[in-house]
Amino acid sequence: MPAHEFRALYERLRRGAARSTEEGRPGALRHVTPERVMAAVAEVRLGRTVSLAAPIETVPGPDDPEPAVHRMTGPAPDDLGANGLHFATDRFAMNVHGDADSHLDALCHVVLDGELYGGVPASSVTPEGARALSVALAADGSVGRGVLLDIPRLRGVPWLEPGDQVTSDDLTAAEAAQGVSVGPGDLLFVRVGHRLRRTELGPWNAATARTGLHPTALGFLAERKVAVLGGDGNNDTAPSTVQGISFPVHVLAIHAMGIHLMDYLQFEELVPVCAQTGRWSFLCAVAPLRLPGATGSPVNPIAVL
């Protein structure tokens, strides 16, 4: 996609987001109204819960050169067999925006032309943290109707190969094939099979080769007033198909439309349940950590069917 075409798409989506008449929470979370949350509760039929997060990686790999660090800080070795009360304690640290662990991107994550979403100056992101649009905006979580669109299932393959892209036509066709429709306030999850491919073939350098959405597919999200977008990859294809923009989907979703993104989720436990029941929508709860000033958070979305 030439740079001028991408800019035109960006401006169109940005203006459309700005024209929204719904009030409430910042960004696309405003589409998750109390009425839509109440309606989403009716999606629960089985009382079954399924995690959409992958286990956090602590071993270096091609897609995770700086894995999370998990250290036990207690009890002391001498306390393990001693009488009396002792506690097991640990410490955890991670690179939130890596290419392996499930995480949520805050609206301050993307800087374009010196600005954040909504024209907020990029200078609001300081060495001490973001003073605006941090993950704190999602402190109350995102609870609503989740919809999973399984693109490899649509195409009859186990996964999409790195470099492939999901189009608006793919999303529309997946709706029809799965008997589901994406609507206002929905939490949209798009499966490309990244996790299954990683499990079957081993990790690779996803920074240089991965599957994602075509930038024009964001028009589908705008039309349907999607509140949150989550994928089992990065949501962006690599190499990028847009001249001069490495992460066009991140730019469009976060910077233009105010949509919180979730990257590197996993749907391999959810897919068989949806396929068995013939239902691809569910109640979903997304609860990022309350990290003041943070640009994102580890996340463990829960689907309730």
Side-chain angles (χ1 to χ4, degrees), residues 211-261:
T211 309
L213 274 65
H214 190 277
T216 55
L218 273 291
F220 176 96
L221 277 68
E223 176 187 338
R224 305 303 181 89
K225 295 185 177 181
V226 166
V228 177
L229 172 63
D232 55 345
N234 176 266
N235 289 298
D236 262 301
T237 300
S240 173
T241 56
V242 177
Q243 298 174 357
I245 299 290
S246 299
F247 296 87
V249 170
H250 278 65
V251 171
L252 296 176
I254 296 176
H255 200 279
M257 303 167 65
I259 295 177
H260 285 79
L261 291 188

Side-chain angles (χ1 to χ4, degrees), residues 93-113:
M94 73 179 295
N95 169 20
V96 172
H97 300 287
D99 287 316
D101 296 320
S102 305
H103 64 271
L104 178 141
D105 293 337
L107 298 188
C108 62
H109 179 48
V110 174
V111 180
L112 181 68
D113 299 335

Side-chain angles (χ1 to χ4, degrees), residues 287-299:
L289 300 179
R290 301 192 71 168
L291 299 169
T295 64
S297 168
V299 71

Side-chain angles (χ1 to χ4, degrees), residues 1 13 21 47 56 59 107 112 127 154 156 210 233 242-243 272 279:
M1 174 181 280
L13 294 175
T21 58
I56 292 176
V59 178
L107 298 188
L112 181 68
L154 172 71
R210 60 178 181 266
V242 177
Q243 298 174 357
R279 296 181 58 247

Side-chain angles (χ1 to χ4, degrees), residues 21-71:
T21 58
E22 292 178 304
E23 297 180 357
R25 302 169 73 184
L29 289 179
R30 65 185 177 275
H31 298 317
V32 187
T33 64
E35 295 77 15
R36 288 168 182 160
V37 175
M38 291 295 294
V41 173
E43 296 286 336
V44 180
R45 310 283 178 81
L46 304 177
R48 180 170 178 177
T49 59
V50 182
S51 169
L52 307 186
I56 292 176
E57 302 279 343
T58 57
V59 178
D63 56 352
D64 198 17
E66 298 178 328
V69 177
H70 179 219
R71 292 196 178 98

